[in-house]
mmCIF file of all heavy atoms in Angstrom:
data_model
loop_
_atom_site.group_PDB
_atom_site.id
_atom_site.type_symbol
_atom_site.label_atom_id
_atom_site.label_comp_id
_atom_site.label_asym_id
_atom_site.label_seq_id
_atom_site.Cartn_x
_atom_site.Cartn_y
_atom_site.Cartn_z
ATOM 1 N N TRP A 238 97.813 6.058 108.230
ATOM 2 C CA TRP A 238 96.472 6.547 108.522
ATOM 3 C C TRP A 238 96.443 8.046 108.857
ATOM 4 O O TRP A 238 95.539 8.755 108.463
ATOM 5 C CB TRP A 238 95.823 5.751 109.656
ATOM 6 C CG TRP A 238 95.529 4.335 109.240
ATOM 7 C CD1 TRP A 238 96.187 3.234 109.626
ATOM 8 C CD2 TRP A 238 94.555 3.947 108.274
ATOM 9 N NE1 TRP A 238 95.641 2.109 108.994
ATOM 10 C CE2 TRP A 238 94.648 2.559 108.164
ATOM 11 C CE3 TRP A 238 93.609 4.600 107.509
ATOM 12 C CZ2 TRP A 238 93.826 1.825 107.295
ATOM 13 C CZ3 TRP A 238 92.812 3.887 106.660
ATOM 14 C CH2 TRP A 238 92.930 2.488 106.551
ATOM 15 N N GLY A 249 89.120 18.359 102.049
ATOM 16 C CA GLY A 249 87.854 18.862 102.548
ATOM 17 C C GLY A 249 87.909 20.369 102.797
ATOM 18 O O GLY A 249 86.994 21.114 102.456
ATOM 19 N N LEU A 253 85.800 23.239 100.898
ATOM 20 C CA LEU A 253 85.026 24.212 101.668
ATOM 21 C C LEU A 253 85.445 25.653 101.275
ATOM 22 O O LEU A 253 84.582 26.490 100.985
ATOM 23 C CB LEU A 253 85.221 24.013 103.160
ATOM 24 C CG LEU A 253 84.503 25.006 104.058
ATOM 25 C CD1 LEU A 253 82.998 24.843 103.999
ATOM 26 C CD2 LEU A 253 85.018 24.895 105.503
ATOM 27 N N THR A 267 87.971 31.395 106.640
ATOM 28 C CA THR A 267 88.558 30.080 106.382
ATOM 29 C C THR A 267 90.046 30.205 106.207
ATOM 30 O O THR A 267 90.803 29.379 106.724
ATOM 31 C CB THR A 267 87.895 29.442 105.107
ATOM 32 O OG1 THR A 267 86.490 29.428 105.282
ATOM 33 C CG2 THR A 267 88.436 28.054 104.880
ATOM 34 N N VAL A 268 90.508 31.237 105.505
ATOM 35 C CA VAL A 268 91.961 31.450 105.339
ATOM 36 C C VAL A 268 92.589 31.768 106.709
ATOM 37 O O VAL A 268 93.647 31.211 107.044
ATOM 38 C CB VAL A 268 92.196 32.610 104.350
ATOM 39 C CG1 VAL A 268 93.655 33.067 104.403
ATOM 40 C CG2 VAL A 268 91.834 32.206 102.958
ATOM 41 N N SER A 271 92.867 28.536 108.845
ATOM 42 C CA SER A 271 93.916 27.681 108.323
ATOM 43 C C SER A 271 95.281 28.232 108.681
ATOM 44 O O SER A 271 96.190 27.481 109.058
ATOM 45 C CB SER A 271 93.812 27.576 106.773
ATOM 46 O OG SER A 271 92.547 27.132 106.404
ATOM 47 N N ILE A 280 104.891 26.999 115.671
ATOM 48 C CA ILE A 280 105.391 27.487 116.949
ATOM 49 C C ILE A 280 105.660 26.322 117.928
ATOM 50 O O ILE A 280 106.653 26.357 118.661
ATOM 51 C CB ILE A 280 104.434 28.521 117.552
ATOM 52 C CG1 ILE A 280 104.457 29.794 116.686
ATOM 53 C CG2 ILE A 280 104.760 28.825 118.985
ATOM 54 C CD1 ILE A 280 103.340 30.779 117.044
ATOM 55 N N GLY A 288 122.858 25.189 111.756
ATOM 56 C CA GLY A 288 124.222 25.643 111.597
ATOM 57 C C GLY A 288 124.229 27.022 111.001
ATOM 58 O O GLY A 288 123.346 27.359 110.195
ATOM 59 N N ALA A 305 109.303 40.552 102.778
ATOM 60 C CA ALA A 305 108.879 41.828 103.321
ATOM 61 C C ALA A 305 108.352 42.739 102.182
ATOM 62 O O ALA A 305 107.342 43.442 102.343
ATOM 63 C CB ALA A 305 110.026 42.522 104.046
ATOM 64 N N ARG A 317 94.596 50.375 99.891
ATOM 65 C CA ARG A 317 94.208 51.391 98.919
ATOM 66 C C ARG A 317 92.924 51.044 98.146
ATOM 67 O O ARG A 317 92.416 51.876 97.392
ATOM 68 C CB ARG A 317 95.354 51.579 97.908
ATOM 69 C CG ARG A 317 96.647 52.090 98.526
ATOM 70 C CD ARG A 317 96.552 53.511 98.877
ATOM 71 N NE ARG A 317 96.338 54.282 97.666
ATOM 72 C CZ ARG A 317 96.126 55.568 97.601
ATOM 73 N NH1 ARG A 317 96.097 56.271 98.675
ATOM 74 N NH2 ARG A 317 95.884 56.154 96.456
ATOM 75 N N PRO A 329 95.628 46.077 92.602
ATOM 76 C CA PRO A 329 95.356 44.639 92.731
ATOM 77 C C PRO A 329 96.223 43.984 93.812
ATOM 78 O O PRO A 329 97.425 44.275 93.932
ATOM 79 C CB PRO A 329 95.711 44.109 91.347
ATOM 80 C CG PRO A 329 96.749 45.077 90.847
ATOM 81 C CD PRO A 329 96.382 46.403 91.407
ATOM 82 N N ILE A 331 97.441 40.092 95.349
ATOM 83 C CA ILE A 331 97.814 38.853 94.712
ATOM 84 C C ILE A 331 96.587 38.041 94.344
ATOM 85 O O ILE A 331 96.488 37.438 93.270
ATOM 86 C CB ILE A 331 98.804 38.052 95.592
ATOM 87 C CG1 ILE A 331 100.122 38.827 95.710
ATOM 88 C CG2 ILE A 331 99.014 36.653 95.038
ATOM 89 C CD1 ILE A 331 101.063 38.263 96.750
ATOM 90 N N GLY A 342 85.607 26.182 89.663
ATOM 91 C CA GLY A 342 85.618 25.343 90.848
ATOM 92 C C GLY A 342 86.794 24.411 91.011
ATOM 93 O O GLY A 342 87.477 24.450 92.032
ATOM 94 N N LEU A 350 94.625 23.786 97.566
ATOM 95 C CA LEU A 350 95.532 22.697 97.920
ATOM 96 C C LEU A 350 97.007 23.126 97.815
ATOM 97 O O LEU A 350 97.817 22.759 98.655
ATOM 98 C CB LEU A 350 95.251 21.475 97.070
ATOM 99 C CG LEU A 350 93.959 20.684 97.407
ATOM 100 C CD1 LEU A 350 93.701 19.613 96.377
ATOM 101 C CD2 LEU A 350 94.068 20.112 98.815
ATOM 102 N N TRP A 357 102.018 23.854 104.730
ATOM 103 C CA TRP A 357 102.427 22.645 105.443
ATOM 104 C C TRP A 357 103.920 22.413 105.252
ATOM 105 O O TRP A 357 104.647 22.034 106.155
ATOM 106 C CB TRP A 357 101.634 21.435 104.925
ATOM 107 C CG TRP A 357 101.977 20.162 105.606
ATOM 108 C CD1 TRP A 357 102.742 19.165 105.135
ATOM 109 C CD2 TRP A 357 101.564 19.776 106.930
ATOM 110 N NE1 TRP A 357 102.873 18.164 106.061
ATOM 111 C CE2 TRP A 357 102.132 18.512 107.183
ATOM 112 C CE3 TRP A 357 100.823 20.367 107.932
ATOM 113 C CZ2 TRP A 357 101.962 17.844 108.361
ATOM 114 C CZ3 TRP A 357 100.628 19.700 109.106
ATOM 115 C CH2 TRP A 357 101.195 18.440 109.301
ATOM 116 N N LEU A 359 106.211 24.628 104.728
ATOM 117 C CA LEU A 359 106.961 25.627 105.574
ATOM 118 C C LEU A 359 106.976 25.170 107.029
ATOM 119 O O LEU A 359 107.970 25.390 107.723
ATOM 120 C CB LEU A 359 106.337 26.992 105.441
ATOM 121 C CG LEU A 359 106.597 27.710 104.130
ATOM 122 C CD1 LEU A 359 105.788 28.968 104.050
ATOM 123 C CD2 LEU A 359 108.064 28.029 103.988
#
Side-chain angles (χ1 to χ4, degrees):
W238 291 109
L253 176 69
T267 306
V268 167
S271 305
I280 290 170
R317 298 286 298 175
I331 294 170
L350 286 172
W357 182 257
L359 287 172

